[in-house]
Every structure is written in C-alpha cells, then in structure tokens.
Amino acid sequence: MGLVPTESGMSKGTLGGPPVVVWFRQDLRLQDHAALQAALAGGRAVLPVYVLDDDTPGAWAMGGAARWWLHGSLASLAESLAARGATLVLRRGPSAEVIPALAQEVGAAEVHAGRMHEPWAREAEAVVGAALRHVGAALHLHRTATLFDLDSIRTKTGGIYGVYAPFARTCRALGAPPPPTPAPERIPCPPPPRSDRLGDWGLLPTRPDWAGGFRETWQVGEAAAHDRLAGFLAKAVHGYDTGRNRPGQPGTSMVSPHLHWGELSPGQVWHTAQQAAQETGKGLEVFLGEILWRDFSAYLLWHHPHMPERPLRPAFAGLAVRDDGAELPAWQRGRTGIPIVDAGMRQLWHIGWMHNRVRMIAASFLVKQLLLPWQAGQAYFWDTLVDADLANNATSWQWIAGCGIDSQPFFRVFNPVSQGERFDPDGAYVRAWVPELARLPDRFVHAPWSAPPAVLVEAGVELGRSYPNPIADLPQARQRALDVYRATVRRAA
Ligand SMILES: Cc1cc2nc3c(=O)[nH]c(=O)nc-3n(C[C@H](O)[C@H](O)[C@H](O)COP(=O)(O)OP(=O)(O)OC[C@H]3O[C@@H](n4cnc5c(N)ncnc54)[C@H](O)[C@@H]3O)c2cc1C
C-alpha cells in the first residue's frame, strides 16, 4: 500500500509539514481528548476524520438506536469543530482500509486515535498500524474511553481479575485519573479532502419513524452531555445509593449514551462528580463505583473477546434453552403480561433506554422464567439501546444469566412481581409505560391477575384482551429454571 506522502500531500498542512490525522471513534468530543491533544501538540495542521465502519466481518453492526444517536453526535461534533476552524471528514468503509488510504491521500505521517476494546476494532487498529508502519508512518493510540489502562490492571501475581471488588480496589489505589483537559480554542486544519455527507449515510429512520420518543427524551452531543451530568450532580446524586433502584423516579444520571459515544469521558465524569463530593457522601461513592463497573466490563471484554458470543463459564454452554417462537416477540413488544417487564420493554422501545433495575428484571425473566438464550436478549438490547455497548451489554447479560465471571449465582431468580412491589411501590413506572393498567390500585398493579373481577372492571382492565395474561406461570417457571440450571451444573461437574 503506497502511503509515502505525495508532493501535494506534503504541502497540504497549513502550518508546514504534512497534516496529522485525528481518527475519531467512540470519543466524539473535543474536551479531554488525548488523541486530539497529542495531535495538536506537534504544531501541525490537524485533519479530523470519522469512519462509518459498519460492514467489517466479525463486527457487531451498529443497531438502529445507536445509528440514530451517532447521526446527532456527528452533527454536533462537526459543528464544534467548524467553530474552531476545522472540518470533520466523513468516510464509509472498513477503517482498516479507509484510514491508511486517507493518510496517503493527504500525506499524513501520523494518525492519532483513541484505543477501543471491541475485538474487531482492535483488529482494525492492528491492520491500520501495520499499513502505516510499512510506509514509515505511525498510528498512535491513546486512552480516551476508559478511566484506566485496561492492560495494566493485574492481580499481585500478574493475573486477570475476574471479580469486580478487588479490581475496583486496585483501580482506586492507582489514584484519580488525570484531570480532564479543556477543548482547544482553535484547530488548524488543512484544506479538507472529499467527505461523505452525513445525511447520505441513512442513519436516521425514515418509514416508520420510530424515533419520536428519542427526540423528546435526548439532546445529543458534547454540550448536552455536560448539561445532563450537571443536572444529575445538582440533585439526584445525593440520594443515588437508594434512588438508583427506583425506576419511577429520576434517580440515575442517564449519561450512559453520552459515555458510550464518548461525548463525555469517564475521567470528566469522575472529576466533575468528585467536585460535588462534600455534599453528596454515599450517593457519590456508589455512583463512582458504577463508573468503575463500566471499566470492569471493558476490562472483561479486553481479556475475553469472545464474551458477547460464549459464556465465560464454559459449563453453561450446554444449558438446555428453549426455542419458543412466540415468547421472544412477546417479550420484545412488552406483551408478556408481567407489568414491570412490559413497562421496561416499552420504555426501551420508546426512548432507547431502560432503567437499570428494570433491565435486570426483564433480562432475568427472559433467561430464567422463559429459559430463552441470553444471546437473544443481548441482541435485542444491542439493536434498541442508544447506549448499546458491547462490553456492558455482554457483561450484564452474562451476569444475569449466571454464566459470567462474578455473576449472581444461577439459583437466584428475580421474582418480577416482588421486585416491582419493592422498587416501584406506587406503580408509577408501570402506570407510565403500561397505560392500560394505570387505573389499577397500587396493590394489584404488579400482578393484575390477582385482582378481583370487580376491581379489574372498575379499572377498565380485561385480561387477555386489553392486557395479556401472563405468558409464564411464575412459580412453575422458576422451578423449571432451577431444574435446568442445576442439571447443567451437575453435568459439567
Ligand atoms: C441486561 C443488561 C444490559 C445492559 N446493557 C448495557 C449497555 O448496552 N450499555 C450500557 O452502557 N449499560 C448497560 N447496562 C448497564 C446499566 O443498566 C446502564 O449502564 C445504566 O442503566 C445506564 O443508565 P444511567 O446512565 O442512568 O446509569 P447510572 O446509574 O447513572 O450510572 C452511571 C454510569 O455508570 C455506568 N454503569 C452503570 N451501571 C453499570 C453496569 N451495571 N455495568 C457497567 N456500567 C454501568 C454507565 O456508564 C452509566 O451511565 C446493562 C444492564 C443490564 C442489566
């Protein structure tokens, strides 16, 4: 591959010498961006690039909700860059080919990028790095997506952590991550080469337009990410240690898509939250623990790249899952007849996000009571979450299914009714997302089948017509799950 800077390429940098390419990936921001900072430090012109790489074999092609978010995030990034004098170049294709070709086209000898932990992205990094090296150019990778360098966190004997608590202790002992850096005021940019038009990428839904609820819920982009975080730190963080479990209240930060897309860096979240420390106490500590969980998931994926496909505990590969053609669609559509599960799945469809407590309940119902494969649930979440994140999604699904490292034990089966009664005691969450149950009294809203007929009539609920009968008998389904799981573990012993 000919990547030697061309005569014209050599003169494309406005500051003398070839320009430097900054390859934006899952770090769509200007503040606290180590790759951008490093590129600017050389005093060269900087060419910002984003590659839509959605055809690479082995990659998890981005889901619909993620594509919706990406459109807004790139539009916002392009605007911020333009305000600083730079043009975001958009190209489509395998990044392993596009980045080296673009570097050649503009005569760049250096490409700076944030390191990713997804297996296909790491392979692309290796190919790009080799192609650039071949012609005397270089790919420089920086930490932009995690708090810590994932490769450097080791047990005392040099091993890999499989349990969160000691991992978190080791991370915390390393001290706070470096303080975040501000966005550059100006970005000197060479005359930009050809760019695709964002609108031509077809990232937004057309017909049907399912994104109305997304537009009502989310402001996308770096500035909006900071607003969202600031709103949380001003209020909900104070009671986060308990409020985070109440899906009917605004008790969590909802910064997950901003973190996934890198509109916020985890270091910014860490430091901004610390600044609120004096007033917040326990809520803050628990919140920081969740930000570390995010690093732990990335760490697990880094060391177990097959995690989205295969259980980390091999014994569970033989779990006898069921194959019912109707139950998965019922779960996906929020028509299982279990109110808290349906509320969660409808929230997911409507706004591309689901409260963590309800993610756990809905996921547990799928893999335990319905005994369907966790991979099917993971795939649906991947398509429908705006924060769809390969590491967090796979770690969480394996945790729920009991087949990951540091999982909840397989014999723990969430009861969706008692979970609902405990964490949504007034039914506010169910009423918001399952309006056909809104008029039921609190004590029946999580189990409408237990309401006397007169109460159902009074509330306008006709089970089997206005709202489904439960697709699983909860005690029997729990027992079936325990039997199957126990048999699997026994077989493997
Ligand atoms: C089955 C299942 C699938 C999930 N899939 C994803 C996913 O694809 N993407 C994703 O970002 N999260 C996923 N999670 C984790 C968690 O539900 C979300 O991160 C959280 O609900 C996001 O809301 P928030 O920003 O208000 O979180 P907060 O409670 O405000 O937490 C702050 C941040 O900490 C991180 N975080 C919180 N909980 C976890 C966790 N359990 N594991 C790792 N990081 C965490 C997130 O980045 C989050 O934004 C999943 C959880 C389950 C049970």
Side-chain angles (χ1 to χ4, degrees), residues 84-134:
R84 289 162 175 82
T87 304
L88 179 64
V89 173
L90 302 176
R91 293 278 171 98
R92 186 173 203 163
S95 41
E97 291 167 21
V98 173
I99 290 292
L102 185 72
Q104 178 187 34
E105 191 182 327
V106 301
E110 281 178 38
V111 175
H112 290 264
R115 192 185 293 283
M116 286 175 59
H117 39 264
E118 288 78 355
W120 77 86
R122 289 171 67 183
E123 273 163 36
E125 284 162 15
V127 177
V128 169
L132 292 174
R133 256 194 322 278
H134 189 61

Side-chain angles (χ1 to χ4, degrees), residues 9-322:
M10 289 298 287
S11 65
K12 279 182 179 160
T14 51
L15 302 185
V20 176
V21 170
V22 174
W23 173 19
F24 283 91
R25 305 172 85 198
Q26 268 163 215
D27 41 25
L28 304 178
R29 63 177 181 271
L30 297 186
Q31 293 182 31
D32 201 33
H33 198 296
L36 178 61
Q37 292 291 336
L40 286 166
R44 298 272 170 78
V46 166
L47 186 69
V49 177
Y50 181 84
V51 181
L52 179 63
D53 181 352
D54 54 357
D55 280 332
T56 298
W60 277 62
M62 226 178 282
R67 291 161 77 84
W68 177 87
W69 192 284
L70 177 64
H71 181 101
S73 199
L74 287 174
S76 164
L77 179 69
E79 212 173 283
S80 305
L81 284 164
R84 289 162 175 82
T87 304
L88 179 64
V89 173
L90 302 176
R91 293 278 171 98
R92 186 173 203 163
S95 41
E97 291 167 21
V98 173
I99 290 292
L102 185 72
Q104 178 187 34
E105 191 182 327
V106 301
E110 281 178 38
V111 175
H112 290 264
R115 192 185 293 283
M116 286 175 59
H117 39 264
E118 288 78 355
W120 77 86
R122 289 171 67 183
E123 273 163 36
E125 284 162 15
V127 177
V128 169
L132 292 174
R133 256 194 322 278
H134 189 61
V135 294
L139 172 67
H140 300 280
L141 293 171
H142 305 264
R143 185 164 43 75
T144 58
T146 53
L147 287 169
F148 296 98
D149 172 15
L150 302 179
D151 224 10
S152 69
I153 311 286
R154 297 280 167 160
T155 64
K156 286 203 178 76
T157 55
I160 312 289
Y161 285 107
V163 177
Y164 168 76
F167 168 86
R169 264 197 303 280
T170 301
C171 291
R172 283 184 187 252
L174 293 172
T181 52
E185 280 179 16
R186 298 278 314 154
I187 299 176
C189 183
R194 179 194 68 72
S195 171
D196 292 353
R197 281 162 30 112
L198 180 58
D200 292 343
W201 278 358
L203 297 173
L204 300 178
T206 45
R207 253 175 280 157
D209 173 11
W210 40 255
F214 288 36
R215 289 189 291 271
E216 282 162 23
T217 308
W218 303 102
Q219 299 289 320
V220 181
E222 188 172 6
H226 285 276
D227 289 348
R228 178 78 78 172
L229 179 64
F232 169 73
L233 292 176
K235 226 169 156 188
V237 72
H238 300 276
Y240 177 78
D241 45 322
T242 51
R244 64 192 282 263
N245 276 317
R246 290 301 188 88
Q249 298 169 8
T252 71
S253 68
M254 293 182 82
V255 296
S256 49
H258 300 295
L259 270 168
H260 169 76
W261 291 105
E263 296 168 359
L264 274 177
S265 76
Q268 286 176 303
V269 175
W270 190 271
H271 280 278
T272 315
Q274 286 282 7
Q275 280 157 16
Q278 271 138 11
E279 304 124 60
T280 51
K282 191 151 180 230
L284 176 89
E285 273 312 300
V286 177
F287 179 66
L288 294 179
E290 294 305 322
I291 304 298
L292 271 178
W293 256 107
R294 183 178 170 276
D295 259 43
F296 185 54
S297 298
Y299 176 86
L300 289 180
L301 183 61
W302 180 270
H303 291 291
H304 307 282
H306 62 270
M307 192 172 70
E309 285 84 31
R310 296 206 304 270
L312 289 176
R313 290 171 193 249
F316 288 93
L319 189 83
V321 287
R322 294 168 59 249

Side-chain angles (χ1 to χ4, degrees), residues 457-479:
V457 170
E458 173 75 21
V461 177
E462 198 179 339
L463 288 177
R465 283 182 76 91
S466 70
Y467 184 70
N469 282 304
I471 61 172
D473 174 284
L474 293 176
Q476 274 177 22
R478 175 176 183 278
Q479 195 50 51

Side-chain angles (χ1 to χ4, degrees), residues 334-384:
R335 306 276 304 158
T336 66
I338 309 292
I340 190 112
V341 173
D342 292 342
M345 298 307 292
R346 294 183 196 188
Q347 180 182 39
L348 174 61
W349 178 256
H350 194 67
I351 70 168
W353 182 91
M354 196 199 299
H355 189 279
N356 179 61
R357 170 59 50 183
V358 191
R359 289 188 205 202
M360 293 199 284
I361 300 168
S364 176
F365 181 72
L366 185 84
V367 299
K368 296 279 174 66
Q369 278 94 346
L370 297 184
L371 262 183
L372 294 177
W374 60 268
Q375 292 93 334
Q378 177 191 231
Y380 186 70
F381 273 29
W382 178 257
D383 188 37
T384 49

